[in-house]
């Protein structure tokens, strides 16, 4: 139920050109084409806040930790590196307090 509701919130909060996908057990990936890392950070922060608000209003309290990366970063030139950098940012967020958006370095 949580994943279904989360999926609906994400679909309502992204643009038509964006591509969301379930990525593992409780992880979701969203590709934001032609979007700077600053724009992606703002978009994902809004999604994070929307999810937390809607679940606080009705249902279990959840946290949303997000890691983002950008294909235009100097060391991120392949899809696998893009995912690796986002995953690294995600685990740094989880390690330092959760319920935030973190960027690849």
């Amino acid at each position: 139920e949580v994943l279904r509701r989360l999926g609906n919130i994400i679909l309502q909060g992204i643009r038509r050109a964006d591509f969301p996908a379930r990525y593992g057990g409780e992880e979701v990936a969203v590709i934001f084409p032609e979007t700077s890392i600053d724009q992606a950070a703002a978009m994902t922060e809004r999604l994070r806040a929307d999810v937390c608000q809607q679940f606080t209003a009705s249902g279990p309290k959840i946290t949303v930790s997000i890691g983002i990366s950008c294909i235009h970063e100097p060391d991120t030139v392949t899809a696998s590196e893009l995912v690796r950098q986002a995953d690294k940012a995600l685990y740094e967020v989880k390690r330092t307090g959760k319920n935030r958006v973190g960027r690849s370095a």
Side-chain angles (χ1 to χ4, degrees):
E1 178 63 21
V2 170
L3 288 173
R4 186 186 62 74
R5 287 179 59 193
L6 175 65
N8 287 332
I9 295 166
I10 291 170
L11 288 173
Q12 291 173 11
I14 62 174
R15 304 167 301 185
R16 191 171 188 87
D18 301 334
F19 184 80
R22 186 166 174 193
Y23 191 79
E26 57 187 36
E27 293 182 349
V28 174
V30 180
I31 297 171
F32 297 108
E34 301 198 21
T35 304
S36 72
I37 198 158
D38 290 335
Q39 292 168 322
M43 293 166 71
T44 54
E45 175 55 35
R46 189 180 66 246
L47 282 173
R48 187 203 62 75
D50 288 349
V51 169
C52 289
Q53 177 193 24
Q54 289 194 32
F55 274 90
T56 299
S58 64
K61 180 179 184 238
I62 66 168
T63 61
V64 179
S65 301
I66 299 172
I68 61 173
S69 63
C70 182
I71 200 75
H72 300 294
E73 296 295 316
D75 297 334
T76 308
V77 294
T78 65
S80 60
E81 186 59 23
L82 181 70
V83 171
R84 192 184 78 69
Q85 290 291 337
D87 203 42
K88 182 177 172 183
L90 170 64
Y91 283 97
E92 182 62 17
V93 165
K94 286 181 175 183
R95 188 183 71 74
T96 59
K98 300 183 180 179
N99 208 30
R100 296 183 297 112
V101 175
R103 301 176 183 212
S104 61

